[in-house]
Amino acid sequence: MVLASRIIAQTAMKNGWQVRTSEIHGMAQRGGAVTSHVRIGKNLFGALIPNGAADILLGFELAETVRGLEKLKAGGKIIANSAKVVPVSVTMGKTKYPDQEILQYLKKQPYDLTLVDAHSLALKAGHYKAVNMVLLGVLAAQKLPFAGDGLLSTALELLPAKLHEVNVKAFYLGKQTGEGYYGHSAAIS
């Protein structure tokens, strides 16, 4: 997620936009969320996006996507990975991960929702760690203040050459999903 936000920010700056970013690291190894804010515009001051002001929410995990909904403005766009990160309490059998309830909740929200099985598409591209690029590909298919393919160019500048082939494939699988080639609920089980 941090790399994805860096790619978005650098692409926007290359296209002449002012950018402010912020990262909040919530001890992800112990179940805390990592959140990144990327503000793109003119005359920006703060780095944090106020509640109800975000155009797009890029969710890398189902429950975290729900936690970020308060940031979206009316008519906003959700791009959500259908993957779930199961907390220790679920692994130990003390609670259940309510993935179906979360999916139904997201589908009922008054936002434009694109659900993507980014992990499956990343594996199809060649490596599960290419989830970032799948989601950036979906984002590239949206209305952005710059050409969406610029995200791929920036990513290739930041990534080692040995990772380019997998990440290019992942980006275009995501972009095809964002354009509706695979449908908006690609590979949702």
Side-chain angles (χ1 to χ4, degrees):
M1 166 190 302
V2 172
L3 177 61
S5 64
R6 187 172 163 201
I7 291 168
I8 295 166
Q10 288 191 12
T11 304
M13 287 189 293
K14 283 195 259 179
N15 285 277
W17 291 97
Q18 291 181 353
V19 175
R20 301 288 182 267
T21 64
S22 175
E23 297 169 359
I24 300 167
H25 297 261
M27 296 178 60
Q29 296 295 321
R30 297 185 181 198
V34 177
T35 305
S36 293
H37 293 220
V38 180
R39 298 186 77 188
I40 300 169
K42 302 289 182 194
N43 301 317
L44 298 174
F45 296 101
L48 295 177
I49 299 171
N51 288 347
D55 295 304
I56 299 174
L57 171 63
L58 197 59
F60 284 70
E61 194 272 338
L62 275 178
E64 295 308 322
T65 301
V66 171
R67 289 186 181 106
L69 287 176
E70 67 185 7
K71 293 295 177 187
L72 273 177
K73 70 181 185 184
K77 170 83 180 168
I78 303 169
I79 298 170
N81 184 2
S82 64
K84 56 185 177 184
V85 176
V86 179
V88 173
S89 60
V90 173
T91 306
M92 295 174 62
K94 293 183 177 181
T95 60
K96 285 187 164 189
Y97 188 98
D99 52 337
Q100 292 307 311
E101 290 86 352
I102 291 172
L103 283 171
Q104 292 308 313
Y105 180 77
L106 284 173
K107 289 177 181 175
K108 290 179 182 175
Q109 297 305 306
Y111 306 111
D112 181 14
L113 172 65
T114 299
L115 284 170
V116 181
D117 187 343
H119 282 89
S120 292
L121 292 176
L123 286 172
K124 186 175 179 180
H127 202 283
Y128 72 94
K129 288 186 176 180
V131 166
N132 264 346
M133 291 305 292
V134 171
L135 292 174
L136 287 174
V138 177
L139 179 65
Q142 311 307 310
K143 184 179 177 187
L144 300 173
F146 48 81
D149 284 343
L151 295 168
L152 179 59
S153 299
T154 302
L156 295 178
E157 291 170 11
L158 296 173
L159 295 170
K162 67 181 181 182
L163 302 177
H164 286 186
E165 183 179 345
V166 168
N167 282 285
V168 168
K169 286 180 185 175
F171 180 84
Y172 284 113
L173 286 169
K175 189 171 180 188
Q176 289 172 340
T177 300
E179 292 170 343
Y181 181 78
Y182 293 115
H184 278 188
S185 295
I188 300 293
S189 57

